[in-house]
Amino acid sequence: MNMYFDISLAEGYKSAAQKTRVLSEAWVTENVFCPCCGNPHISKLENNLPVADMRCKKCGEVFELKSKNGNIGKKILDGAYETMIERISSFTNPELFVLQYSPDYAVTDLTFIPKFFFVPNIIEKRKPLPPTARRHGWVGCNILYSNIPEQGRIPIIRGGRFIDKDIVVNKYVKVKSIQTNNIESRGWLFDILNCVNSIRSELFTLKEMYGFITVLHDLHPENNNVEAKIRQQLQVLRDKRFIEFLGNGVYKKII
Ligand SMILES: [Zn+2]
């Protein structure tokens, strides 16, 4: 497998952002399978759509690609805030690939984020552009990458090596059971999942979960019964086979 971008494709493009886009898209369509259905290839879409870059011809899922030289960090710069919120609220946002490459243009990491992991809490509104800017007043957004639960950041390439296709597709199929059309309840579910993930041991207790009440209340100030919400979302995670109830307020993570 050739992990390097084909630099010759960038000839004629002036901006660094355009070059990266052309090179990384070409590489992904040449080398990456569809993480939703396992189709060996994903096809490039014409660039007349506002966000979507690629589409799987077998399952029809549409993907957007964001690429970065080096580490992703905590946030990913995205487009207009209002558009993003509208898309995630109307379920028209695409699946997301996050690609990292080295200074010599070799792909090091590729992560797949299923579209239903996008909830308002992971979208950060940026400050409006200042009066001196050409598009002054325009409001962009950041994707708070590190706030997405680890179950929603499915690795496809790590350290320059592909993860087995079956492992990737199985992970996707499992997390897909989390998908609901109610964006608010999904937001709650991911916040509770983040709390569960932050507990290191395989076993944990309801009492430990109640330790997150303040954090959760800050995220959802409108809710006055966070304890009940925690219990309810733990039941959802149990029904989706992410955790097991062992009785007496003790839970076990299902890896
Ligand atoms: Zn597919």
Side-chain angles (χ1 to χ4, degrees):
M1 175 75 62
N2 181 359
M3 302 304 282
Y4 286 87
F5 290 163
D6 178 358
I7 308 293
S8 68
L9 298 173
E11 279 170 24
Y13 290 94
K14 282 194 181 121
S15 90
Q18 267 181 330
K19 279 184 189 174
T20 302
R21 184 184 168 95
V22 167
L23 296 176
S24 58
E25 273 184 18
W27 191 89
V28 169
T29 50
E30 186 72 26
N31 295 289
V32 178
F33 55 85
C34 171
C36 303
C37 74
N39 187 16
H41 288 290
I42 299 174
S43 310
K44 179 151 173 37
L45 277 171
E46 294 309 317
N47 271 339
N48 54 4
L49 288 171
V51 277
D53 300 321
M54 299 164 216
R55 184 168 177 269
C56 169
K57 284 187 176 163
K58 192 173 159 201
C59 70
E61 289 298 342
V62 169
F63 299 85
E64 186 186 7
L65 172 65
K66 290 195 177 290
S67 305
K68 200 173 167 201
N69 181 348
N71 283 334
I72 296 300
K74 289 186 171 179
K75 300 177 182 183
I76 301 173
L77 203 66
D78 205 89
Y81 174 78
E82 291 300 336
T83 314
M84 180 61 143
I85 294 295
E86 197 184 295
R87 279 203 190 106
I88 62 177
S89 309
S90 60
F91 311 104
T92 52
N93 61 311
E95 318 279 346
L96 182 67
F97 281 135
V98 179
L99 183 146
Q100 292 164 251
Y101 59 93
S102 61
D104 61 345
Y105 293 110
V107 176
T108 57
D109 295 89
L110 180 68
T111 305
F112 165 48
I113 302 165
K115 58 188 174 189
F116 46 86
F117 275 90
F118 286 84
V119 289
N121 269 355
I122 68 144
I123 307 301
E124 182 183 59
K125 196 175 189 173
R126 291 207 306 269
K127 281 186 191 155
L129 293 182
T132 47
R134 189 166 51 87
R135 289 185 297 166
H136 62 89
W138 184 83
V139 180
C141 70
N142 295 314
I143 298 169
L144 299 174
Y145 184 69
S146 58
N147 288 15
I148 301 171
E150 63 190 51
Q151 290 84 350
R153 290 179 271 160
I154 302 174
I156 296 180
I157 298 169
R158 277 295 175 268
R161 298 181 80 94
F162 268 90
I163 311 283
D164 185 78
K165 185 165 83 175
D166 290 344
I167 294 174
V168 174
V169 174
N170 285 341
K171 275 193 178 171
Y172 170 72
V173 169
K174 183 172 181 193
V175 295
K176 205 177 171 211
S177 69
I178 272 179
Q179 185 176 19
T180 66
N181 282 348
N182 184 329
I183 199 160
E184 195 205 326
S185 57
R186 255 189 302 148
W188 263 106
L189 190 61
F190 296 154
D191 292 335
I192 299 293
L193 196 52
N194 272 333
C195 296
V196 171
N197 289 340
S198 72
I199 299 172
R200 287 185 163 224
S201 54
E202 197 187 354
L203 295 183
F204 62 97
T205 63
L206 186 59
K207 206 176 155 200
E208 280 177 277
M209 289 303 293
Y210 285 162
F212 295 104
I213 284 175
T214 314
V215 182
L216 291 165
H217 195 260
D218 287 347
L219 289 170
H220 302 269
E222 75 293 344
N223 190 299
N224 291 315
N225 198 349
V226 175
E227 286 189 19
K229 204 71 187 174
I230 290 173
R231 291 192 302 271
Q232 180 203 54
Q233 296 302 310
L234 287 171
Q235 281 172 16
V236 176
L237 288 175
R238 178 198 57 189
D239 296 344
K240 308 281 187 191
R241 307 270 314 137
F242 281 81
I243 60 171
E244 235 177 280
F245 283 18
L246 301 181
N248 294 325
V250 181
Y251 305 86
K252 187 185 174 193
K253 297 180 192 175
I254 300 172
I255 309 297

